[in-house]
Amino acid sequence: MQYDPAPASEESPFGFDELFFSRTDEAGIIRAGNAVFQRVSRYSWDELLNKPHKIIRHPDVPRAVFRLLWNTIKAGSPIGAYVKNRSKDGRHYWVFAIVTPIEGGYLSVRLRPSSDFFQIIQKVYPALAADERRENLDPDASLALLSGQIQGLGFASYPAFMAAALGRELAARDIVLGRPVDQSLRHLDELRGLADGLLQNAHRMKAAYKQNEIVPMNFRILASQLGQDGDAIGVISNNYVLLSDDMRNVLDLLMRAAYEVQRAINDSYFLLAVARVQCEAANVFRNEGDSTSSSEEMQRLDRQAADYLSRAKLSLTDIAVKTKFRDYCLEMNRLSTGLEVMRVVGKVECSRHVSVKERVDKLLSDLQTFQMEIASALQEIDRINLSIEAETAALIKEEKMAA
């Protein structure tokens, strides 16, 4: 099959209702594909089968993306990424690719992207690829830059980004195709935002704690300067150190739990979205005539979609378990109350020492600001926790109804 050369600026067209499929072995050699893949790539089947999948690679895609992709799938995990491909005649086409490990190789299902995330990536990739060429960056150095850019978009990690991006692409695609809102993905998108809020408030408390770490030492300095008259202030300082240590330990637990919730939500979000796309891809296979498809390829998709759906549901249960932050919140509230009691006692005691009144007032004011910041963050975390529990319950109910 021959095509006339085309300008690189031209796109190789395909519809939002179309999905690409290809299967490779462990070395990335193409073993199967569907008609959409063959048509849009503009290669014949003889030119595609048993050839490296990188035959369609476009130079605008940074090597960092492929390093991330191979690192992930070789570790046995699925990945989603925006990829710009090049067809045989020089045209280009963008996809959001979902690549998943299977026995003996990998499956790739790809859809046409259109979300606001895609608009950002269209600018990020060429610039990073140009940096790679200009500075002769190796893939790992480029990957570090890409990770920094992902974090600059407000995502804690690439898995958090890819889950949000796939969910956003599916929502945008549903709108274009006139489909109803996927309620499960809507609930998961809400949960993702709530998990981000949970982490933000945990970091907020951590930052407030770091800012006030020096307060016990300042109290000790005051006590030593006052000699025997400063014994009471010394006791207050020691009590503050004990409360501060306890607070740091609880904050560490709270931070760890918040990250676990975020990971569980992102895992569930991505797996559920992947299962949906793979089910649709299997149906595309069934309706195609001109492809290398077979019942075996459809069965691979169906099996993996069922496996990912099951894993997503287990992750939902994990979310429900990990939202039990009330013990941590109650403990933080107890410690915060202890700080307030100590602040009041300290104010009374230090009022007797006129020589250090100004310095003491500043320390006690800082302590009050810290306590108020902790109390505000705890109140917000408690609200988020209730919302997570409600959204998780609604999502589990939605999945049971769909089963």
Side-chain angles (χ1 to χ4, degrees):
M1 187 179 299
Q2 296 295 323
Y3 293 96
D4 293 331
S9 60
E10 287 188 17
E11 290 191 46
S12 189
F14 64 101
F16 282 98
D17 59 327
E18 296 184 295
L19 292 175
F20 293 68
F21 169 83
S22 57
R23 176 173 60 83
T24 71
D25 63 16
E26 292 176 340
I29 305 300
I30 300 169
R31 299 305 184 192
N34 71 339
V36 177
F37 175 40
Q38 183 276 316
R39 188 192 82 240
V40 179
S41 73
R42 298 185 171 239
Y43 287 97
S44 68
W45 280 121
D46 286 343
E47 293 170 312
L48 286 173
L49 292 178
N50 302 314
K51 302 296 190 303
H53 207 283
K54 65 182 179 182
I55 192 174
I56 59 171
R57 184 177 295 188
H58 197 288
D60 276 356
V61 181
R63 290 192 296 163
V65 175
F66 297 107
R67 175 57 60 93
L68 178 63
L69 188 152
W70 279 106
N71 285 350
T72 304
I73 58 178
K74 283 184 176 180
S77 298
I79 189 171
Y82 290 98
V83 179
K84 185 179 184 180
N85 291 325
R86 182 162 60 182
S87 60
K88 181 183 177 181
D89 64 358
R91 288 180 171 88
H92 72 273
Y93 58 99
W94 280 93
V95 296
F96 187 90
I98 301 164
V99 187
T100 56
I102 58 168
E103 185 177 355
Y106 309 101
L107 297 181
S108 176
V109 179
R110 307 180 287 284
L111 54 88
R112 180 175 173 177
S114 64
S115 78
D116 51 346
F117 282 27
F118 174 48
Q119 311 306 319
I120 296 171
I121 290 297
Q122 282 181 296
K123 298 176 182 177
V124 169
Y125 277 14
L128 183 54
D131 287 343
E132 286 181 344
R133 291 189 290 270
R134 183 178 60 256
E135 300 177 26
N136 197 28
L137 296 175
D138 63 43
D140 288 328
S142 181
L143 180 53
L145 290 178
L146 178 61
S147 298
Q149 290 176 325
I150 292 298
Q151 290 176 358
L153 295 175
F155 295 93
S157 63
Y158 187 82
F161 169 76
M162 73 179 186
L166 178 54
R168 193 72 63 89
E169 292 302 338
L170 290 179
R173 184 168 176 263
D174 285 342
I175 291 172
V176 171
L177 297 177
R179 294 175 176 174
V181 174
D182 187 316
Q183 294 300 324
S184 291
L185 292 181
R186 184 185 68 78
H187 285 304
L188 278 164
D189 202 41
E190 289 289 334
L191 280 167
R192 185 185 62 80
L194 290 167
D196 289 346
L198 196 69
L199 268 177
Q200 288 168 9
N201 279 280
H203 279 295
R204 175 183 165 192
M205 287 194 291
K206 196 80 170 179
Y209 175 86
K210 290 289 290 182
Q211 194 172 356
N212 284 270
E213 273 187 317
I214 199 170
V215 172
M217 184 179 71
N218 287 335
F219 267 119
R220 282 177 173 171
I221 292 171
L222 280 175
S224 65
Q225 288 175 346
L226 292 170
Q228 290 184 340
D229 290 340
D231 287 349
I233 296 178
V235 171
I236 292 172
S237 175
N238 290 335
N239 287 337
Y240 181 76
V241 168
L242 293 173
L243 280 171
S244 181
D245 287 345
D246 288 345
M247 190 169 281
R248 184 185 63 246
N249 292 333
V250 175
L251 272 173
D252 287 343
L253 291 171
L254 191 61
M255 288 283 289
R256 193 176 305 126
Y259 274 112
E260 287 176 355
V261 168
Q262 186 187 58
R263 180 194 55 76
I265 288 172
N266 286 327
D267 285 352
S268 187
Y269 195 178
F270 188 67
L271 291 174
L272 198 66
V274 170
R276 174 185 148 176
V277 175
Q278 288 184 330
C279 286
E280 186 176 344
N283 289 330
V284 168
F285 256 121
R286 293 183 179 95
N287 295 327
E288 285 186 349
D290 181 22
S291 68
T292 61
S293 64
S294 66
S295 59
E296 186 178 351
E297 301 300 338
M298 288 181 274
Q299 288 169 9
R300 282 192 178 96
L301 282 165
D302 285 334
R303 282 197 302 270
Q304 192 169 69
D307 176 50
Y308 282 1
L309 187 59
S310 176
R311 285 167 58 181
K313 289 178 178 178
L314 285 175
S315 192
L316 288 179
T317 305
D318 210 25
I319 294 168
V321 170
K322 285 180 168 45
T323 53
K324 306 304 181 184
F325 296 116
R326 284 196 170 79
D327 288 345
Y328 298 142
C329 291
L330 286 172
E331 182 63 9
M332 284 296 291
N333 271 315
R334 183 187 71 79
L335 295 171
S336 181
T337 300
L339 282 179
E340 173 61 11
V341 171
M342 190 177 65
R343 187 184 69 83
V344 172
V345 172
K347 188 171 184 179
V348 172
E349 178 60 34
C350 293
S351 66
R352 303 172 187 171
H353 305 286
V354 179
S355 62
V356 295
K357 183 179 185 303
E358 186 175 339
R359 292 165 62 191
V360 168
D361 285 346
K362 175 65 170 62
L363 287 174
L364 294 175
S365 176
D366 290 344
L367 194 57
Q368 184 178 30
T369 300
F370 171 57
Q371 186 207 357
M372 291 173 64
E373 184 72 2
I374 293 293
S376 174
L378 283 172
Q379 186 176 20
E380 184 63 11
I381 283 177
D382 193 49
R383 183 195 66 78
I384 291 171
N385 185 48
L386 290 172
S387 296
I388 287 177
E389 290 179 352
E391 287 291 339
T392 303
L395 180 53
I396 291 173
K397 182 179 179 181
E398 191 76 35
E399 285 302 302
K400 285 181 178 177
M401 290 174 63

